[in-house]
Amino acid sequence: MKQIATIIRRHWLPLLGLNSVVLAATIYAVIYAGMTIPPVWKANAQLNLPKTSGGLNASLGTLGNIQSQGAEFRDVNPLEIQLAILTSDVVLERVLAVDPEKSSYSRLSSYKQLFEVTPQIDSSLIALAAQGTRPDLAFKRVNALIDAYQQRLNELRRSDANFREMFAQEDLEQARINLNQAQTALANFQQSTGLSDINEQTKGLIEAINNLKTTQATVIAQAQANETQAQVAAAGLGTTPQQAMTSLRLGENQEYQAIRQKLSEVEIALAEARGKYTDESPTVQSLISHRQELLSQLNQQVAIAVPGANAQEVDTTLGGSGSRDSRIEMIAELTRNQTTAQGLQQQASQIQNQIEKLNTELNSVTTNQAKLLDLQRRYEIAEGVYKGTIAQIQQGKTNPFNVYPNVQVLDEPSIDPKPIIVSRKLIAFGGILAAIFGSTALIFFLENRNPLLKPKDLMKVEFPLLGSIPRLKQPDMERALGAEIEIEFQRLASAVLMLENQCLMVTSATSGEGKTTVTLGLALALVNFGFRVLIIDGDLRQAEMTRRLGRTKKKIKANGQPTPISVYPGLDLIPAPSIPKGKIAEYFARGGFEQCLSSTRGSGCYDYVLVDGPPVGLASETTLMSAVVCNALFVVRSGTSDRYPVMDSFEQLTRHKARIMGLVVNGVESRTEGYRYYGRQRELLETEA
């Protein structure tokens, strides 16, 4: 609260001006509202948005059925759509065009403020309200709004119906074209491939192939049986079936049989002649020669009758005698079996050709099956789209109120019995709020522009905070040097004890920040700890420390050695030398201050040397002193120090390689009330005990 009071005291003049303006404006508004603002009448009405039921149910063929419940607003409340139409510029412009006071409203936005349109949550009701300076005017405005709204709904319905019909006709024509194309493509493919019902055709081909395979197996079995019978007969004849057939053909050849008959007769005659004569006999030789001729003729006849047959493979004994040879019947049976077997094998080969042809046809059906199914599916989709488009056109014609329903007037317009009168209390309350919020905003604005140093500015620097000195109840401590030292100065002295070099300069950015007070309080705290302390007044321009301790400036002696003055047991002072202001910088630059500091430190009479330096931002010698005094203690004052000079002083000291050991914040609000009397209270308690 103290901080808030401090801020208000700092900005009291702007706050007074602002609140005066707000107070004057509030008083004027109260007087003006009571004299010039007429009462406002209000007319009310209520609309109902009925639920539409324009469902669609149509068959799409093999694709199934299409079902729709009409226009449904799943993501948007239909009342919000009606609210947008009611408050649209088109509707309100029509209401304004027939308003008796239309000349009083140059802008449509100001005219809109006369109407209130409120949808009822979780219902289908819309509340309407209109204001007017007269009851009849408010009543007319509500009626005009309802009429303009109904007229706008009709326009939107007609526009939507025309739009739907235009695009539906285009969609229907495109669907018809797609259906014809799909139907033509399917018919052409079926005609070129001969496919109509793939399942039935595939089933028929498989059954035919199985039947042919069964017949083929039967024929092959019969052929093998006949072949086996032929081989058995050939084995009985002692020859092969081919040799038996060759011998049978020779046995049925008359020329061959005639030559064989002659050969037999010559063989008989030769045998008789050899019985009578020797082989050299002309008769025998003639018969042998005749036999050779007959054998040659016989072989020629075999070659003619059975081309390619070998005479050794032919049974020449078959046939030729007048009696019937039983082997001929056996050979005939063998020939029949052999011929039957060959015929059955040829039949099996033909059946195999038919099976291969049917397999080829079956493979062709399987290959074209995917394409046929794709064409049939395309035809079904095109047919479904065509039927669905027709159904949508019919549904659009039979249910034109899906999107823009016919709104019902549930409550006819009525006038409130009492007009609306401006409340002076409300105006006054608004003035109070304006003053509060305006003052708060002004304080924030002024504080943001305030160049004073803030705690957040100190957090940005890298120097530690060694102490916070409260506002002293007795700032003139030089009048009672033996009084009790503030606890904050004692804490600061504890931090100074850690210095390696017992020489410390206390400075600030500008004057009035309390560096002299801090120097004196720190010196007294060190004396209280039992140390011998020397204070050097280095602020030659103001000599504040010399003045506060009741001393005057001293002229520099011929030897240049200062003489310390005792101001308190354990505490000495070297007053500021009396030097013209124009020569002060020269004094520091030529080493006068450095010689003074060296002589006092070299005497060994003091534990600590404190230099009350001039402000960095007001004197150039401070940076020269920082080169001689190794350590610097920087003092800032709460609510007084300007952030820009402080930051500039930090930069200058750092540039001259000064070692800033820490910061001291002076003039802060005290939070330890009565702590300084802690020792006295304890003494009193011990005395009473």
Side-chain angles (χ1 to χ4, degrees):
M1 292 301 295
K2 292 182 179 180
Q3 185 177 4
I4 295 175
T6 302
I7 295 175
I8 293 175
R9 284 197 303 269
R10 186 162 55 241
H11 305 296
W12 69 272
L13 187 59
L15 291 175
L16 179 61
L18 174 64
N19 286 276
S20 299
V21 172
V22 173
L23 178 61
T26 304
I27 295 174
Y28 175 77
V30 171
I31 298 174
Y32 177 78
M35 297 175 59
T36 59
I37 299 178
V40 178
W41 295 87
K42 189 175 182 181
N44 301 305
Q46 197 169 40
L47 305 179
N48 180 36
L49 182 65
K51 184 178 180 180
T52 59
S53 59
L56 172 64
N57 189 355
S59 174
L60 302 182
T62 57
L63 297 181
N65 298 328
I66 179 174
Q67 294 182 353
S68 174
Q69 298 299 325
E72 295 183 359
F73 302 92
R74 296 177 181 175
D75 299 329
V76 180
N77 189 345
L79 292 179
E80 297 294 336
I81 297 179
Q82 302 304 319
L83 175 63
I85 298 174
L86 266 169
T87 57
S88 63
D89 292 345
V90 176
V91 173
L92 291 177
E93 283 175 354
R94 295 176 181 177
V95 179
L96 179 59
V98 298
D99 195 288
E101 296 181 353
K102 61 181 179 181
S103 59
S104 302
Y105 301 95
S106 58
R107 300 177 61 183
L108 185 62
S109 58
S110 60
Y111 186 71
K112 280 185 177 181
Q113 298 177 0
L114 300 177
F115 299 91
E116 295 180 7
V117 181
T118 307
Q120 302 296 326
I121 301 176
D122 298 332
S123 69
S124 60
L125 302 178
I126 301 176
L128 302 180
Q131 298 178 0
T133 56
R134 304 188 309 273
D136 60 331
L137 181 59
F139 185 82
K140 289 180 180 179
R141 285 174 177 170
V142 171
N143 281 326
L145 179 61
I146 295 174
D147 294 341
Y149 170 57
Q150 295 285 7
Q151 182 181 1
R152 182 59 179 164
L153 283 180
N154 291 330
E155 293 175 355
L156 292 174
R157 291 191 198 104
R158 287 193 295 269
S159 176
D160 182 70
N162 294 334
F163 183 80
R164 288 173 180 269
E165 184 177 0
M166 178 181 65
F167 279 92
Q169 292 298 330
E170 295 179 0
D171 293 342
L172 181 62
E173 181 63 22
Q174 185 63 40
R176 186 186 62 80
I177 294 174
N178 294 338
L179 179 60
N180 291 336
Q181 292 176 352
Q183 187 176 10
T184 302
L186 179 60
N188 293 336
F189 183 77
Q190 288 179 339
Q191 184 177 2
S192 62
T193 58
L195 298 178
S196 57
D197 191 344
I198 295 178
N199 295 330
E200 292 296 330
Q201 289 180 332
T202 303
K203 182 178 179 181
L205 289 174
I206 293 175
E207 289 180 355
I209 291 172
N210 292 333
N211 293 334
L212 288 176
K213 286 183 178 180
T214 302
T215 303
Q216 184 186 32
T218 303
V219 171
I220 291 174
Q222 292 178 356
Q224 291 176 352
N226 290 328
E227 184 69 25
T228 301
Q229 293 178 0
Q231 291 177 357
V232 171
L237 294 173
T239 182
T240 63
Q242 184 64 30
Q243 292 175 356
M245 292 180 64
T246 302
S247 299
L248 180 61
R249 285 197 297 270
L250 289 177
E252 294 178 352
N253 192 325
Q254 297 297 328
E255 295 180 359
Y256 174 80
Q257 293 298 330
I259 295 172
R260 193 165 68 87
Q261 182 65 32
K262 291 179 180 181
L263 180 60
S264 298
E265 293 175 355
V266 171
E267 289 288 345
I268 294 172
L270 178 61
E272 292 178 355
R274 282 180 174 177
K276 295 178 179 182
Y277 308 103
T278 62
D279 289 340
E280 289 82 7
S281 173
T283 303
V284 174
Q285 291 295 325
S286 175
L287 290 174
I288 291 172
S289 176
H290 186 51
R291 186 185 63 177
Q292 292 297 329
E293 291 178 358
L294 290 176
L295 288 173
S296 177
Q297 291 178 4
L298 184 64
N299 291 331
Q300 290 178 359
Q301 193 63 36
V302 170
I304 293 172
V306 186
N310 190 358
Q312 285 77 14
E313 298 177 356
V314 180
D315 186 2
T316 58
T317 62
L318 188 63
S321 63
S323 61
R324 184 174 179 83
D325 194 345
S326 61
R327 292 181 301 170
I328 294 177
E329 294 181 357
M330 294 177 63
I331 291 174
E333 182 66 22
L334 183 149
T335 302
R336 283 194 299 272
N337 291 333
Q338 186 71 23
T339 303
T340 301
Q342 292 178 355
L344 291 174
Q345 290 177 355
Q346 291 179 358
Q347 184 179 358
S349 299
Q350 292 176 357
I351 292 174
Q352 182 64 33
N353 292 334
Q354 292 180 1
I355 291 174
E356 292 177 356
K357 183 177 180 181
L358 291 178
N359 283 327
T360 302
E361 186 176 354
L362 180 61
N363 293 332
S364 176
V365 170
T366 305
T367 303
N368 295 325
Q369 181 179 8
K371 187 174 182 180
L372 179 62
L373 292 176
D374 181 63
L375 292 176
Q376 289 177 345
R377 186 61 178 173
R378 291 183 181 181
Y379 172 75
E380 293 171 355
I381 293 174
E383 183 183 19
V385 171
Y386 181 74
K387 292 181 178 180
T389 305
I390 293 177
Q392 289 179 354
I393 293 176
Q394 297 297 329
Q395 191 256 356
K397 291 180 179 180
T398 57
N399 190 11
F401 296 97
N402 283 340
V403 180
Y404 305 104
N406 188 15
V407 178
Q408 302 170 351
V409 180
L410 188 62
D411 293 336
E412 295 294 335
S414 60
I415 304 296
D416 287 346
K418 294 182 179 181
I420 301 174
I421 301 175
V422 178
S423 175
R424 296 183 179 182
K425 293 182 180 180
L426 187 61
I427 295 176
F429 181 71
I432 295 174
L433 291 180
I436 294 174
F437 287 109
S439 299
T440 305
L442 180 61
I443 288 175
F444 277 110
F445 174 74
L446 294 176
E447 283 296 311
N448 288 331
R449 295 190 59 187
N450 187 4
L452 295 181
L453 191 68
K454 296 181 175 60
K456 64 179 181 180
D457 298 324
L458 298 178
M459 295 176 62
K460 296 180 181 178
V461 299
E462 57 184 2
F463 310 119
L465 181 62
L466 298 182
S468 298
I469 308 302
R471 296 181 183 273
L472 301 178
K473 295 184 178 180
Q474 295 180 352
D476 50 350
M477 64 176 66
E478 64 275 4
R479 297 184 180 180
L481 297 177
E484 185 177 357
I485 305 301
E486 296 282 348
I487 186 64
E488 287 76 9
F489 286 119
Q490 296 179 15
R491 292 173 180 172
L492 181 59
S494 300
V496 172
L497 294 178
M498 295 183 294
L499 287 177
E500 296 180 359
N501 190 342
Q502 285 75 22
C503 186
L504 177 66
M505 179 180 67
V506 182
T507 185
S508 62
T510 60
S511 61
E513 294 180 327
K515 64 178 182 60
T516 302
T517 302
V518 172
T519 304
L520 183 57
L522 177 60
L524 293 175
L526 290 172
V527 170
N528 193 25
F529 285 169
F531 296 102
R532 294 171 299 170
V533 181
L534 173 65
I535 298 177
I536 299 176
D537 191 354
D539 190 357
L540 277 59
R541 301 177 187 272
Q542 300 294 330
E544 180 68 18
M545 181 65 74
T546 302
R547 183 190 61 81
R548 291 181 61 177
L549 293 177
R551 302 295 187 270
T552 59
K553 293 184 178 181
K554 300 293 184 178
K555 292 183 179 181
I556 300 178
K557 297 181 179 181
N559 58 3
Q561 297 298 326
T563 302
I565 300 174
S566 177
V567 295
Y568 185 74
L571 176 63
D572 293 345
L573 169 69
I574 295 180
S578 180
I579 300 175
K581 292 184 178 181
K583 299 292 184 178
I584 294 178
E586 181 181 354
Y587 170 75
F588 285 94
R590 289 185 177 274
F593 175 76
E594 183 178 2
Q595 183 180 1
C596 173
L597 183 62
S598 299
S599 62
T600 55
R601 293 182 61 186
S603 64
C605 298
Y606 303 102
D607 298 316
Y608 288 94
V609 177
L610 303 181
V611 180
D612 183 17
V616 180
L618 302 179
S620 60
E621 57 267 18
T622 309
T623 55
L624 298 175
M625 296 172 63
S626 64
V628 180
V629 183
C630 299
N631 304 306
L633 185 65
F634 201 90
V635 179
V636 296
R637 190 173 187 85
S638 177
T640 302
S641 298
D642 194 317
R643 69 166 68 95
Y644 302 110
V646 171
M647 295 302 174
D648 184 66
S649 300
F650 288 156
E651 184 178 356
Q652 291 187 38
L653 292 174
T654 304
R655 188 183 301 118
H656 288 80
K657 299 181 180 180
R659 180 175 176 270
I660 302 176
M661 65 171 296
L663 305 177
V664 175
V665 181
N666 189 22
V668 299
E669 298 294 335
S670 177
R671 296 183 181 178
T672 56
E673 295 292 338
Y675 183 80
R676 52 189 291 182
Y677 303 107
Y678 174 74
R680 294 183 180 179
Q681 291 176 358
R682 185 171 181 178
E683 292 177 358
L684 292 175
L685 291 175
E686 291 177 354
T687 302
E688 292 177 358

